Amino acid sequence: MKKTILLFAIIFSLFSCSKDDEATPVTYQEENPIPTFLVNSGFNFNRTTASTGGGEIESGFSFIPKVNGKIIALVNKLQIPNASLKVTIWDKSTATAIATNYVNVGQGVETKTSINAVNLQKNKEYIISIKTAYYYIYNKPNSAIQAYPVDAGNISITGSLDGNANQMPNVLISNSFLGDYSFIFQQTE
């Protein structure tokens, strides 16, 4: 009888143990790198409204993800009255647009627009740019020069850029940062 109970207990314990065949997926926190960048760089000192006074430019910033991830939304806060804004994400090494989206702009109100995810590779450099005639200029005290990169969470900002409309911006701006536009990044692994 003891052997039967012992055998039954062993069989029961073997069948009651569960094997976790599937790992629980990890969901990483969403990050907007620009607010942290502005503080870490000192560009949060002064913000003024500006325009090109005519034609549009391609204003952007370059960045490197420290981890694999994806851009899942675009964020903007510009002084453009009820306009549609062209936002492009570029592979910097090939100067190729890898995603282009048009987002609505609320005049001076932050707008977050979900997009089809754009996958980004760890340690690869990208540029995000907007085609616009209106933007904000962020300055440091005494318009000091910025040394790059500047870390902001899982993103390293490597430069503020401008250039000709509909082309990847390639002119480095070191004493100011043009904005207000950004993205929501989410780590994938």
Side-chain angles (χ1 to χ4, degrees), residues 79-158:
Q79 288 291 350
I80 306 171
N82 302 318
S84 179
L85 183 67
K86 179 183 176 187
V87 182
T88 306
I89 300 165
W90 307 83
D91 178 325
K92 186 175 180 185
S93 65
T94 63
T96 304
I98 56 174
T100 299
N101 290 276
Y102 291 86
V103 298
N104 292 325
V105 177
Q107 188 170 4
V109 177
E110 184 172 282
T111 305
K112 179 179 168 184
T113 306
S114 295
I115 62 169
N116 290 332
V118 178
N119 292 317
L120 303 178
Q121 294 176 10
K122 174 182 177 179
N123 298 327
K124 183 174 174 125
E125 194 165 17
Y126 299 92
I127 294 174
I128 183 169
S129 68
I130 60 171
K131 179 181 170 186
T132 187
Y134 302 92
Y135 47 90
Y136 288 110
I137 297 177
Y138 286 91
N139 290 299
K140 298 169 79 162
N142 301 318
S143 295
I145 301 297
Q146 176 61 48
Y148 288 98
V150 176
D151 288 341
N154 283 315
I155 301 292
S156 286
I157 307 296
T158 58

Side-chain angles (χ1 to χ4, degrees), residues 40-98:
N40 291 350
S41 66
F43 277 124
N44 62 337
F45 176 73
N46 184 32
R47 181 181 85 168
T48 57
T49 305
S51 80
T52 61
E56 296 176 315
I57 63 167
E58 204 76 29
S59 171
F61 64 88
S62 54
F63 63 95
I64 298 173
K66 297 184 211 173
V67 295
N68 289 326
K70 58 187 175 180
I71 294 176
I72 58 173
L74 301 172
V75 180
N76 73 77
K77 182 179 180 183
L78 297 168
Q79 288 291 350
I80 306 171
N82 302 318
S84 179
L85 183 67
K86 179 183 176 187
V87 182
T88 306
I89 300 165
W90 307 83
D91 178 325
K92 186 175 180 185
S93 65
T94 63
T96 304
I98 56 174

Side-chain angles (χ1 to χ4, degrees), residues 14 21 36 75 153 165 182:
L14 288 175
D21 292 335
T36 302
V75 180
S182 186

